Amino acid sequence: VALRVTAMRAFEDINPGTWYGTGFVVDAAAGLVLTNRHVVTVGPIRAVAYFDQNEELPCEALYRDPCHDFGFMRFDPKALEFTSIVAIPLKPDELTIGKDIRVVGNDNAEKLQILSGTVARVDRNAPQYAGLYSDENTFYVGAATSTSGGSSGSPVLNVQGHAVALNAGGAQDASSAYYLPLDRVVHAVTALRESRVPKRGTVGCRLVFRAYAV
């Protein structure tokens, strides 16, 4: 699902404007679309979802995780006339080093691009972005898939077609791309399906993984 998001006013570190991202359906009956927190943002927005058969539907921000870089939008599945809705299964346990992956999204705002790679790391520290928000207290996945703007929120798929991670960012001067593991996403999806707000908390500090003592 291609997403166009418009912010009407400045909120925290987000300025008014329009940007593009990617999402994918995780619950067809409920119309749940998973994407990045930095795509949904935490402020007031208007969003449009573009589906496979060039159908456009308005969607609303349903949930933004307070810590990690994922969020959900919701659309009305009954409003689709020509597009068959298929939810991508979330399988965080199938994420392992050396597995071939495909990142399917709207890379550089081009609709439906497929980038290939191999999982190289599953213990990378969360990337640090410019601005007020960066993820923390979680490992990230690393692979060289050269993702760029517009591919935020893309599913990282294995050969079975299961989502094993969520594309979140990438290096500007290298092929490195960074993916969020889906463990906490599965917890949130389960709660939203039961019409509950996902319970979240914090330890009140930022933990950094170091492989060797320094």
Side-chain angles (χ1 to χ4, degrees), residues 23-48:
F24 61 99
V25 177
V26 294
D27 190 313
L32 290 183
V33 173
L34 172 64
T35 186
N36 286 128
R37 180 186 189 266
H38 71 261
V39 174
V40 183
T41 74
V42 294
I45 61 169
R46 291 186 181 275
V48 176

Side-chain angles (χ1 to χ4, degrees), residues 4-21:
R4 186 187 72 205
V5 181
T6 301
M8 287 75 73
R9 56 171 295 177
F11 195 92
E12 290 192 1
D13 63 337
I14 301 299
N15 293 320
T18 299
W19 55 89
Y20 295 86

Side-chain angles (χ1 to χ4, degrees), residues 150-171:
S151 61
S152 292
S154 299
V156 180
L157 305 177
N158 61 12
V159 294
Q160 288 78 28
H162 300 157
V164 296
L166 177 68
N167 183 65

Side-chain angles (χ1 to χ4, degrees), residues 24 33-42 63-73 90 133 135 138 140 153 166-168 180-189 192 198-200:
F24 61 99
V33 173
L34 172 64
T35 186
N36 286 128
R37 180 186 189 266
H38 71 261
V39 174
V40 183
T41 74
V42 294
Y63 174 77
R64 296 102 157 171
D65 193 81
C67 180
H68 301 300
D69 196 6
F70 73 91
F72 294 93
M73 290 186 176
L90 304 179
Y133 173 74
D135 207 336
T138 181
Y140 261 63
L166 177 68
N167 183 65
L180 175 70
L182 297 178
D183 305 81
R184 298 165 185 83
V185 175
V186 171
H187 167 75
V189 169
L192 293 173
K199 291 184 178 181
R200 301 289 290 113

Side-chain angles (χ1 to χ4, degrees), residues 93-109:
D93 294 338
E94 296 180 5
L95 176 66
T96 55
I97 293 175
K99 292 291 186 179
D100 289 334
I101 54 172
R102 298 293 185 269
V103 181
V104 182
N106 308 295
D107 193 61
N108 197 33

